[in-house]
Amino acid sequence: MAENRQQRFRFSEAPIWDLQRTYYEEQGMKAWNNDQVPQYITSNPMIATAYAEMIFGFLQDRSERGEISEPVTILELGAGAGRLAFHVLHKLCELRDFAGIVLPPFRYVMTDLALKNVSGWQNHPALKSFIRQGLLDFAVFDAVHDTELNLVISHTTIRPGDLKQPLLIVANYFFDSIPQELIYVGDGKIFECDVIIEFSENSNLLQPSEALEKMTLNYEHRQAPEYEEETYPYHDVIVLYLQELEDSHILFPVAGLTCLERLNQLSQAGFLLITADKGDHRLENWKFAEPPQLIHHGSFSLTANYHAIQHVFEQRGAQSLFTTHHYKSINVGCIFMLETPLSYANTRLAYRRFIERFGPDDFFSMKEWVDRQFDTMGLQQILAFWRLGGYDAEFFIQSAKRISSMLSEASDEEMLDIQRGIHIMWSSYYAMEQRYDLALDAGLLLFEMDMYEDAKLFLETSVHADEDESVPTVLYCLAICSYELGLEEAALEYLREALVQEPEHEEALALLKALSEGE
């Protein structure tokens, strides 16, 4: 029987963080396949639209100040699968083109710790047009140590003081996944919480995700007077915790704070942070907090301490925006570490319209309800929610069969809306590594609606994507589309292909006979 071993670590130095890092480095973009690591809640078109609106507002604010010659750098930390970056850029370009107003140029820089992710982004077909336009670049970035950005496409380096425009930072599910300190407030003093990790002898043979799940974590307090010294960089927030909290375990984001401080040095004009996470900015939510539990999803995550980040930068002159209502799944905030932050009216108004009024957390709560009620929803309700979600492909994948079942009762106007939605969805589709044939589902639905030209386009896209696995039924549908469009030679070719794979396909045989006899 394998013996269990115990070791004691400072929380921020525990092996859980090395395992987390190794997991992402080994998995690359596969970490997000089939939501092993959740990505939908912070990467769907709805949240991307909200971010694009705030970024657009920020570009307007800079333009109104006359700052239109220097480019604005939009830096995404931990860009992961790349889906958020794609949707934000897609929506931001739509806003720019629709508005037709003078704005400063911008470039979006996707960063991650894992080199595999950077390589994956470079080769992703959905991102190549942005690369060609000079709107997108990439960098490997270690949030704990790095002080500069080495851009992959432009082969340039951004060093402290290089940026004349403020740096716009996007950080989704970032602060909850990088090392954090764990402190305990009790009896009017600050204690460090060391973690006692128990793991089996063969843990070094396990994959990182398995090793993380099999670990048992316990905590012991150790008095840490260094936190209470006036020379401690975040002394003010520690004093506040001593005054307001008791018997409370606090995840303290030293790595997150120092990362933002280093990024702030890159620009001569400060930064704007747009961030979303499972994180609390209200001090009362940290009162009597229990020791943290790792939330496992291939890697792991914790709760981000937005309160400490907000407090530290507000003490330095920043303004921040977090929702006045309480979040359920995801908290979205903005921190304006800028000169005269209240003058950024367009950015603040965009936050009010797209986060405060009805934001990503509200949308996700509705999405959970829709998932439970899906089989009872009518076509108008499905189409309305699809529009609300920005014609998201994941919702279409979920709803295609339900939509198909209601087509016999659908009006012409509803079918035209479905057709339009499919084209909008396809124009902003970001394929993940897992295998799913979106073109096939779209083509079959259009075929059912007798929209043969569009159906042919999508079905051919599906067939060409994997010619070795063409399905006879799909080839038969393509033959019908071709026939209805007056393309009899193409129809004959598709029928012959279908019959090579399934010689007894009755409908294909009947249509081939009819076409051959000139009927």
Side-chain angles (χ1 to χ4, degrees):
M1 184 181 217
E3 293 183 11
N4 286 335
R5 296 178 293 124
Q6 284 190 347
Q7 285 185 266
R8 181 180 185 130
F9 302 90
R10 187 180 185 188
F11 188 71
S12 63
E13 298 170 358
I16 57 174
W17 304 107
D18 287 334
L19 287 168
Q20 175 107 305
R21 179 178 185 137
T22 301
Y23 171 81
Y24 283 113
E25 288 177 337
E26 289 181 354
Q27 292 292 314
M29 291 174 71
K30 289 185 173 64
W32 289 270
N33 282 8
N34 302 310
D35 262 1
Q36 181 176 344
V37 175
Q39 53 83 25
Y40 177 82
I41 187 172
T42 55
S43 299
N44 61 72
M46 193 274 178
I47 190 172
T49 298
Y51 279 25
E53 292 281 357
M54 286 187 284
I55 295 169
F56 185 74
F58 181 79
L59 296 175
Q60 287 178 283
D61 287 326
R62 295 304 293 174
S63 178
E64 289 176 5
R65 290 167 171 259
E67 302 288 349
I68 58 173
S69 57
E70 293 291 331
V72 171
T73 296
I74 305 160
L75 180 73
E76 184 180 351
L77 300 173
R83 190 177 177 213
L84 176 70
F86 168 76
H87 284 305
V88 169
L89 271 171
H90 183 80
K91 297 294 182 183
L92 185 57
C93 289
E94 280 187 353
L95 289 169
R96 177 201 62 188
D97 296 343
F98 184 81
I101 59 178
V102 176
L103 297 171
F106 59 86
R107 62 178 170 185
Y108 198 108
V109 179
M110 298 166 66
T111 72
D112 212 309
L113 184 64
L115 180 60
K116 279 186 178 179
N117 288 352
V118 176
S119 300
W121 303 332
Q122 283 182 267
N123 296 312
H124 198 292
L127 298 176
K128 288 186 176 179
S129 67
F130 296 125
I131 296 172
R132 287 193 297 270
Q133 296 173 65
L135 297 176
L136 181 61
D137 216 322
F138 314 108
V140 174
F141 182 72
D142 184 339
V144 179
H145 302 294
D146 287 349
T147 58
E148 58 186 33
L149 293 166
N150 296 301
L151 304 187
V152 172
I153 303 299
S154 59
H155 302 291
T156 58
T157 298
I158 300 175
R159 297 183 175 88
D162 280 355
L163 302 178
K164 294 181 174 60
Q165 295 272 28
L167 179 63
L168 203 157
I169 304 168
V170 175
N172 271 17
Y173 270 23
F174 173 75
F175 294 111
D176 70 341
S177 301
I178 61 174
Q180 303 183 56
E181 307 300 334
L182 180 59
I183 60 176
Y184 174 76
V185 183
D187 299 324
K189 296 187 179 301
I190 297 290
F191 297 82
E192 187 104 44
C193 289
D194 291 338
V195 59
I196 313 299
I197 297 182
E198 182 178 315
F199 44 95
S200 61
E201 287 286 349
N202 67 348
S203 62
N204 60 326
L205 303 177
L206 299 175
Q207 294 296 316
S209 58
E210 296 173 314
L212 285 166
E213 287 195 21
K214 290 182 180 296
M215 284 182 174
T216 301
L217 276 60
N218 292 292
Y219 301 94
E220 290 186 3
H221 302 158
R222 167 174 51 81
Q223 192 166 346
E226 62 271 20
Y227 283 91
E228 300 176 45
E229 294 175 1
E230 290 190 11
T231 55
Y232 183 66
Y234 311 113
H235 178 70
D236 289 346
V237 73
I238 292 297
V239 169
L240 180 64
Y241 289 169
L242 285 170
Q243 292 171 347
E244 300 294 332
L245 301 179
E246 178 64 33
D247 189 22
S248 302
H249 295 81
I250 308 296
L251 287 160
F252 199 74
V254 172
L257 287 165
T258 56
C259 175
L260 290 173
E261 288 166 349
R262 280 180 277 111
L263 292 175
N264 188 38
Q265 293 301 310
L266 297 179
S267 171
Q268 302 171 22
F271 68 80
L272 169 68
L273 171 67
I274 301 175
T275 182
D277 221 317
K278 183 185 57 173
D280 281 324
H281 66 281
R282 293 179 170 86
L283 184 59
E284 60 266 26
N285 289 345
W286 293 99
K287 289 183 178 180
F288 305 109
E290 296 291 328
Q293 298 292 320
L294 302 189
I295 307 301
H296 294 282
H297 36 62
S299 59
F300 71 89
S301 61
L302 297 162
T303 299
N305 186 346
Y306 277 147
H307 175 269
I309 296 172
Q310 176 184 12
H311 185 87
V312 165
F313 286 104
E314 284 187 348
Q315 291 295 107
R316 301 176 186 179
Q319 291 287 332
S320 60
L321 294 172
F322 284 89
T323 56
T324 54
H325 58 269
H326 293 77
Y327 81 98
K328 176 182 178 291
S329 300
I330 183 173
N331 196 2
V332 181
C334 276
I335 295 179
F336 296 74
M337 190 63 199
L338 303 164
E339 186 180 350
T340 61
L342 290 177
S343 67
Y344 285 78
N346 292 298
T347 314
R348 294 188 298 110
L349 283 169
Y351 183 91
R352 179 187 174 98
R353 296 185 190 113
F354 294 93
I355 304 296
E356 177 71 36
R357 179 180 172 274
F358 180 89
D361 186 60
D362 304 302
F363 173 76
F364 191 71
S365 295
M366 287 190 64
K367 174 69 166 59
E368 290 182 314
W369 180 86
V370 166
D371 289 345
R372 295 191 298 270
Q373 306 295 326
F374 196 73
D375 291 339
T376 67
M377 293 174 66
L379 188 55
Q380 274 299 312
Q381 288 72 47
I382 289 174
L383 292 177
F385 191 78
W386 194 26
R387 282 191 292 272
L388 179 65
Y391 294 99
D392 181 38
E394 288 198 24
F395 184 70
F396 177 81
I397 291 167
Q398 176 186 354
S399 61
K401 287 184 179 178
R402 175 69 178 163
I403 293 172
S404 173
S405 71
M406 294 186 286
L407 284 180
S408 61
E409 303 296 325
S411 67
D412 290 343
E413 290 82 3
E414 287 170 332
M415 286 193 282
L416 287 170
D417 283 347
I418 294 168
Q419 179 191 34
R420 177 176 178 272
I422 286 173
H423 282 285
I424 295 173
M425 171 190 69
W426 187 255
S427 72
S428 60
Y429 176 50
Y430 186 82
M432 304 287 283
E433 284 204 14
Q434 64 262 38
R435 176 67 174 156
Y436 184 80
D437 197 340
L438 181 67
L440 177 61
D441 268 7
L444 291 176
L445 202 57
L446 290 161
F447 179 81
E448 288 185 72
M449 295 188 293
D450 298 336
M451 296 176 176
Y452 297 114
E453 186 173 356
D454 284 358
K456 183 173 181 290
L457 174 68
F458 282 96
L459 294 176
E460 284 180 335
T461 299
S462 171
V463 168
H464 294 155
D466 197 348
E467 294 180 357
D468 294 334
E469 294 189 15
S470 300
V471 178
T473 301
V474 176
L475 294 169
Y476 172 73
C477 290
L478 277 167
I480 295 289
C481 291
S482 299
Y483 174 74
E484 293 289 345
L485 295 170
L487 305 170
E488 291 194 9
E489 286 300 320
L492 287 167
E493 184 61 31
Y494 280 124
L495 288 171
R496 293 185 188 108
E497 287 183 50
L499 290 167
V500 166
Q501 295 187 35
E502 188 179 331
E504 303 303 319
H505 194 293
E506 293 183 4
E507 293 89 347
L509 285 169
L511 182 56
L512 180 63
K513 182 174 183 294
L515 289 176
S516 299
E517 294 175 355
E519 293 181 13

